[in-house]
């Protein structure tokens, strides 16, 4: 039977199948749907395309191990294997390796994401979160596609293991007292994320450069403190909230735009401080320090701890806990005595409270010897199989170190240029294959024009990258930087 070819073309960032009989928009193109879409016809995909597969991709030969599939005119192999696999799976796909035609050599980059994700039983559709035409929205597909992943809920993932050890600490110290939440939606109002916890109206964290806005009133939470107000209004006085948090940020081994935090909160009544013979603030501060020192020892063994003064908009006094670990003082968490205003505004007036917030990746990197934050997102069994539920002592053994590739890009910046925006462009193109973006040179000429030179390090955690691939990424970074960031390439 003759194979009908399907060709693909790019319309803004949507991918359409232009086969007469069928039209599929990119929202259908989750890894699974791609092949459904191709079922009736032979598949052809644009050359040089990056397709973000969700980790539960079962249709491709990689069994979900690789989240980014890359192919080009010269290396179309991966998708061929996917199609073969699909045939083996008994579907009616008529595509055969020989029928795949690489149809659109436009060298345009496409990224596709699942059309919906689920958090805590609630479905969140892509259209609710990513609005390319809306200037008050800055959430890219790469972020949306990770919203439902909830790494902290996997009991054998380093983040899940750590979360559960912390839960155990609280359960043993305060049996039955702390309520635990780990699937609250990360979509929150700016009131919850900022106002409820007294973040000043001119604080940098409110900027579009630092936070992912869905619209001018709604954001992807940038910290789990975003839930303090609602929890108190709902009447909870002892709670732990864990979840994914989102920040536009630089790219290096310890920064990733999504990471995980745990928030702790405990309210004290006048009865409790009178019984202790202390004032409310002193009781909260003492109890906070005791609890968290105990937690640090539970996680790190019998380490030396120290407290330093700090600043957070929601606590006063505010502290940071540090431990002496591997010959260095390491910051473990931020905490403090909650400001009265938060309690009063949220139905808990006349009481005191402590609160803390800790970064799960930061601690897990130290506890499990994980050298790069991107590894947490890997579905490569060489990573995932190294960890076991309930076991905190395991040290990650790097399976191999693949070579990095450095590419520099220089341009004249405009006033609106920010490094976070550049990082977003680079991630949008190379995904987790970018390891670092660092400013290596900067100068202003006599005309007052400022030039920046950034070094981009590409490196996969899982395989060697080819020259073709990297050149393709870099060419796209240059093109997109010029287009989206309003810079002049040098
Ligand atoms: N929300 C803070 C952050 O993301 C962490 C934090 C600090 C939370 C102190 C707290 C706290 O509850 O009391 O950096």
């Amino acid at each position: 039977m003759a194979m009908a070819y399907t060709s693909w073309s790019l319309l803004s960032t949507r991918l359409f199948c232009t086969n007469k009989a069928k039209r599929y928009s990119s929202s259908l193109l989750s890894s699974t749907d791609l092949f459904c879409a191709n079922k009736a016809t032979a598949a052809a995909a644009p050359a040089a395309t990056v397709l973000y597969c969700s980790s539960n991709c079962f249709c491709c030969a990689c069994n979900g191990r690789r989240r980014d599939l890359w192919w080009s005119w010269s290396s179309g192999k991966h998708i061929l294997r996917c199609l073969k696999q699909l045939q083996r799976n008994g579907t009616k796909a008529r595509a055969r390796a020989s029928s795949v035609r690489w149809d659109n050599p436009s060298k345009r980059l496409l990224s596709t994401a699942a059309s919906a994700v689920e958090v805590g039983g609630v479905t969140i559709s892509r259209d609710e979160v990513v609005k390319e035409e809306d200037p008050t929205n800055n959430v890219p597909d790469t972020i949306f596609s990770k919203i439902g992943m909830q790494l902290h809920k996997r009991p054998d993932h380093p983040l899940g293991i750590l979360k559960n050890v912390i839960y155990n600490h609280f359960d043993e110290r305060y049996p039955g007292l702390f309520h635990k939440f780990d699937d609250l939606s990360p979509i929150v109002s700016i009131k919850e994320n900022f106002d409820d916890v007294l973040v000043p109206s001119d604080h940098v964290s409110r900027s579009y450069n630092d936070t992912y806005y869905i619209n001018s009133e709604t954001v992807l939470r940038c910290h789990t403190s975003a839930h303090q107000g609602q929890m108190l209004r709902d009447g909870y006085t002892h709670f732990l909230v864990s979840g994914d948090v989102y920040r536009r940020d630089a790219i290096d081994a310890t920064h990733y735009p999504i990471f995980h935090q745990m928030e702790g909160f405990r309210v004290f009544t006048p009865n409790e401080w009178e019984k202790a013979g202390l004032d409310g603030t002193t009781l909260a501060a003492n109890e906070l320090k005791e609890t968290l020192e105990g937690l640090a020892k539970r996680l790190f063994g019998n380490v030396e701890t120290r407290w330093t003064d700090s600043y957070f908009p929601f606590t006063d006094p505010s502290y940071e806990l540090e431990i002496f670990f591997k010959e260095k003082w390491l910051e473990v968490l931020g905490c403090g005595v909650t400001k009265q205003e938060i309690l009063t505004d949220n139905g808990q007036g006349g009481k005191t409270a402590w609160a803390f917030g800790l970064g799960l990746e930061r601690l897990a990197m130290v506890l499990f010897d994980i050298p790069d934050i991107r590894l947490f997102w890997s579905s490569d069994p060489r990573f995932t199989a190294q960890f076991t539920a309930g076991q905190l002592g395991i040290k990650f053994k790097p399976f191999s170190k693949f070579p990095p590739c450095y590419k520099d890009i220089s341009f004249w910046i405009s006033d609106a240029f920010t490094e976070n925006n550049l990082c977003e462009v680079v991630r949008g193109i190379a995904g987790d294959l970018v390891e670092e973006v660092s400013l290596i040179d900067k100068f202003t000429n006599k005309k007052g024009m400022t030039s920046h030179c950034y070094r981009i390090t590409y490196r996969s955690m899982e395989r060697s990258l080819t020259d073709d691939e990297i050149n393709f990424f870099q060419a796209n970074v240059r093109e997109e930087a010029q287009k989206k960031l309003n810079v002049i390439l040098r």
Side-chain angles (χ1 to χ4, degrees), residues 222-225 228 247 261 263-264 312 314-315 334-336 355-358:
C222 67
H223 55 176
T224 44
S225 307
Q228 283 190 8
R247 290 187 198 173
Q261 287 189 327
E263 191 82 6
F312 301 105
F314 19 90
T315 46
C335 62
F356 72 82
L358 58 81

Side-chain angles (χ1 to χ4, degrees), residues 52 251 409 420-432 434-437 456-458 473-474 477 480 485:
Y52 290 95
I251 299 182
I409 177 170
N420 284 357
N421 288 347
L422 173 67
C423 288
E424 194 100 304
V425 164
V426 180
R427 274 199 209 280
I429 289 163
D432 287 1
V434 56
E435 178 168 288
E436 188 164 353
V437 174
I456 304 175
T457 309
Y458 297 98
F473 289 144
Q474 189 66 9
V477 166
E480 292 282 300
L485 306 179

Side-chain angles (χ1 to χ4, degrees), residues 137-140 143 204-205 207-213 220-222 245-251 255-259 416 418-425 427 484-485:
N137 178 291
N138 62 355
V139 184
I143 292 293
V204 55
S205 65
S207 71
Y208 271 72
N209 189 50
D210 285 36
T211 291
Y212 289 105
Y213 278 78
L220 291 173
R221 67 183 164 213
C222 67
V245 299
Y246 298 74
R247 290 187 198 173
R248 298 183 87 239
D249 213 334
I251 299 182
H255 290 91
Y256 198 79
I258 314 176
F259 58 102
T418 73
E419 194 170 306
N420 284 357
N421 288 347
L422 173 67
C423 288
E424 194 100 304
V425 164
R427 274 199 209 280
K484 291 194 177 153
L485 306 179

Side-chain angles (χ1 to χ4, degrees), residues 2-8 17 19-22 24 34-44 83 92-96 99:
M3 291 289 168
Y5 287 108
T6 305
S7 64
W8 302 90
C17 165
N19 179 288
K20 260 200 217 122
K22 297 209 160 77
Y24 301 98
L34 174 64
F35 296 101
C36 300
N38 288 336
K39 249 196 318 220
T41 55
L83 292 167
K92 294 206 176 63
R94 283 194 271 141
R96 268 195 270 130
S99 73

Side-chain angles (χ1 to χ4, degrees), residues 5 11 23 54 58 86 96 99 163 175 192 226 231 258 264 297 318-319 327 353 357 389 419 429 455 479:
Y5 287 108
L11 225 47
R23 281 195 146 235
S54 61
F58 62 84
L86 190 76
R96 268 195 270 130
S99 73
K163 181 196 80 174
E192 292 168 293
M231 287 282 126
I258 314 176
K297 294 208 160 51
S318 304
Y319 311 105
E327 308 301 310
E419 194 170 306
I429 289 163
R455 175 150 300 164
E479 193 183 318

Side-chain angles (χ1 to χ4, degrees), residues 158-187:
L159 299 176
I161 297 169
L162 175 58
K163 181 196 80 174
N164 286 329
V165 173
I166 303 175
Y167 278 2
N168 291 343
H169 176 73
F170 279 88
D171 283 345
E172 283 167 26
R173 197 180 161 101
Y174 310 100
L177 202 57
F178 276 80
H179 291 265
K180 306 181 197 79
F181 299 86
D182 64 4
D183 57 6
L184 300 178
S185 171
I187 299 177

